[in-house]
């Protein structure tokens, strides 16, 4: 496993002609990330993983500062998984080419997280743009836990980069809570509360599916969630292909973002 601390060095030393799979992460690796890496290993002859906590995708400095980081432990995990290359660039390195970081998203796409975290996805896409100019991989592995992220990256790379998006299923704990680096910031009781929400929205999904005509149900569900004494940012039903509010029984998906003790969590089913 070769670890690169700069994108220039990686660019100079690695020939990406091989059939490479790329897994971008922000580190503090867990079973969710590992599932992406394992799939990449299975499907590619070389695998590259990046670890970069991108300041431009955080709306609050405190959130960025508090974000869990554990590079040493991450490197042990990556070595065990027999990853070929790891890229851990500095913030300065990534922001050197400012032009690559300037990415816009359309007003039409400013829904869900893009509505409540202005500039977040522009930050994500800026870094992806920067990475893909150097990392000429065949496939990029992304988790459905960040469903809107996949949707926007797909849109962004179309006609721009020759790379296939491999969407990977959300990995959950036994209590149905999706694995997330942010879970490290929660106490046991808060984890229980968060898992209750994920279980609830999963239940709502099947109830809506069963009685699709009764659309008022979602309002009723919102009231149930309110009773859990949560700070819900959004809870919406949308079309999983377009993220619009025109959905049907086959293509709908539930999306939620909420805060527990100032920690922002998301889920979708
Ligand atoms: P992050 O480090 O949170 O930026 O995540 C890096 C990649 O791992 C993203 O594509 C995420 O969607 C994916 N990911 C994070 N959590 C999970 C999970 N629980 N299951 C599957 N993929 C995940």
């Amino acid at each position: 496993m070769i670890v690169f601390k700069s994108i220039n060095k990686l660019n100079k030393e690695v020939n990406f002609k091989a059939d490479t799979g790329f897994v971008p992460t922000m580190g503090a690796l867990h079973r969710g990330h590992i599932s992406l890496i394992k799939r990449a290993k299975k499907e590619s002859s070389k695998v590259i993983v990046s670890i970069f906590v991108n300041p431009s995708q955080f709306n609050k400095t405190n959130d960025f500062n508090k974000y869990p980081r554990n590079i040493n432990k991450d490197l042990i995990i990556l070595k065990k998984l027999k990853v070929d290359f790891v890229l851990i660039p500095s913030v300065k390195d990534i922001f050197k080419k400012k032009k690559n970081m300037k990415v816009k998203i359309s007003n039409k796409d400013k829904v869900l997280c893009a509505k409540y975290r202005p500039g977040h996805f522009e930050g994500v896409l800026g870094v992806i743009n920067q990475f893909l100019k150097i990392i000429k991989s065949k496939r990029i592995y992304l988790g459905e836990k960040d469903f809107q992220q996949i949707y926007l990256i797909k849109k962004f790379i179309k006609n721009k980069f020759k790379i296939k998006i491999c969407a990977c299923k959300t990995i959950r704990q036994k209590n149905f809570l999706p694995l997330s680096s942010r879970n490290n910031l929660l106490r046991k009781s808060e984890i229980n509360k968060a898992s209750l929400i994920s279980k609830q929205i999963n239940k709502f999904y099947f109830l809506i599916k069963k009685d699709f005509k009764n659309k008022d149900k979602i309002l009723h569900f919102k009231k149930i969630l309110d009773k859990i004494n949560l700070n819900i940012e959004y809870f919406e039903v949308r079309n999983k292909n377009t993220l619009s509010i025109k959905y049907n029984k086959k293509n709908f998906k539930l999306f939620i973002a909420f805060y527990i003790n100032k920690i922002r969590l998301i889920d979708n089913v």
Side-chain angles (χ1 to χ4, degrees):
M1 184 171 92
I2 311 176
V3 180
F4 292 94
K5 296 265 170 86
S6 103
I7 42 175
N8 271 344
K9 201 147 190 266
L10 175 85
N11 195 21
K12 274 188 201 138
E13 292 181 21
V14 179
N15 182 352
F16 283 106
K17 272 183 194 147
D19 169 18
T20 305
F22 173 38
V23 186
T25 81
M26 294 206 294
L29 302 179
H30 50 65
R31 279 194 296 116
H33 299 115
I34 291 172
S35 73
L36 268 58
I37 297 167
K38 281 193 171 160
R39 182 167 159 202
K41 284 285 302 178
K42 218 185 260 173
E43 298 175 352
S44 323
S45 57
K46 299 270 179 208
V47 169
I48 174 161
V49 175
S50 65
I51 299 177
F52 181 62
V53 185
N54 170 21
S56 72
Q57 70 185 68
F58 287 81
N59 308 83
K60 295 172 192 148
T61 324
N62 192 29
D63 191 24
F64 170 70
N65 292 337
K66 265 195 333 201
Y67 195 82
R69 292 163 172 89
N70 205 338
I71 290 287
N72 292 338
K73 198 171 149 214
D74 289 349
L75 288 174
I76 292 171
I77 294 173
L78 295 174
K79 203 163 181 186
K80 245 192 191 159
L81 290 167
K82 297 197 168 66
V83 163
D84 300 277
F85 310 113
V86 182
L87 173 64
I88 314 177
S90 68
V91 171
K92 211 170 131 199
D93 192 24
I94 288 291
F95 285 84
K96 227 185 277 168
K97 282 198 180 151
K98 282 212 177 76
K99 201 178 82 205
N100 291 346
M101 299 299 290
K102 286 206 175 100
V103 175
K104 283 193 178 151
I105 66 168
S106 70
N107 282 340
K108 192 175 133 272
D109 286 330
K110 290 186 179 158
V111 299
L112 304 171
C113 290
K115 177 174 168 189
Y116 292 95
R117 298 184 77 187
H120 166 71
F121 287 115
E122 287 84 346
V124 172
L125 295 177
V127 171
I128 291 290
N129 192 26
Q130 187 83 290
F131 279 156
L132 294 186
K133 290 210 165 173
I134 305 287
I135 301 171
K136 307 268 188 287
S137 55
K138 259 200 181 166
R139 298 175 213 90
I140 182 168
Y141 293 83
L142 301 166
E144 286 185 346
K145 151 126 193 317
D146 300 280
F147 199 87
Q148 191 175 12
Q149 177 167 281
I150 299 188
Y151 171 81
L152 289 171
I153 292 179
K154 204 181 263 172
K155 241 181 153 173
F156 174 68
I157 64 173
K158 204 176 164 195
N159 309 326
K160 207 170 155 72
F161 296 102
K162 250 187 159 176
I163 187 167
K164 185 182 168 216
I165 291 189
C166 303
C168 306
K169 290 259 162 298
T170 301
I171 304 296
R172 296 175 181 274
Q173 296 182 178
K174 266 199 198 123
N175 61 11
F176 207 70
L177 183 67
L179 284 148
S180 162
S181 306
R182 285 176 196 269
N183 294 353
N184 292 323
L185 303 170
L186 298 174
R187 287 187 222 113
K188 180 96 193 334
S189 61
E190 293 165 343
I191 294 265
N192 292 342
K193 201 168 171 183
S195 98
L196 194 69
I197 305 309
S198 289
K199 277 185 199 153
Q200 279 287 3
I201 64 158
N202 190 46
K203 204 161 131 192
F204 294 162
Y205 175 86
F206 287 104
L207 288 173
I208 294 177
K209 193 135 196 147
K210 215 164 113 191
D211 185 14
F212 189 74
K213 280 182 195 129
N214 185 0
K215 285 210 183 119
D216 287 344
K217 245 190 182 132
I218 192 77
L219 294 173
H220 173 62
F221 293 156
K222 269 187 178 153
K223 279 185 198 146
I224 295 180
L225 289 177
D226 283 340
K227 274 195 199 140
I228 305 176
N229 194 17
L230 270 185
N231 181 358
I232 296 177
E233 195 169 70
Y234 62 75
F235 173 52
E236 294 188 31
V237 190
R238 289 196 173 251
N239 181 316
K240 69 176 177 189
N241 301 315
T242 60
L243 294 192
S244 87
I245 46 172
K246 285 187 190 140
Y247 52 84
N248 61 39
K249 195 176 171 177
K250 280 194 182 138
N251 64 24
F252 80 92
K253 210 172 194 357
L254 302 191
F255 294 87
I256 191 165
F258 57 97
Y259 284 86
I260 291 190
N261 194 15
K262 295 195 182 140
I263 308 300
R264 187 176 185 277
L265 299 170
I266 55 170
D267 199 359
N268 65 78
V269 288

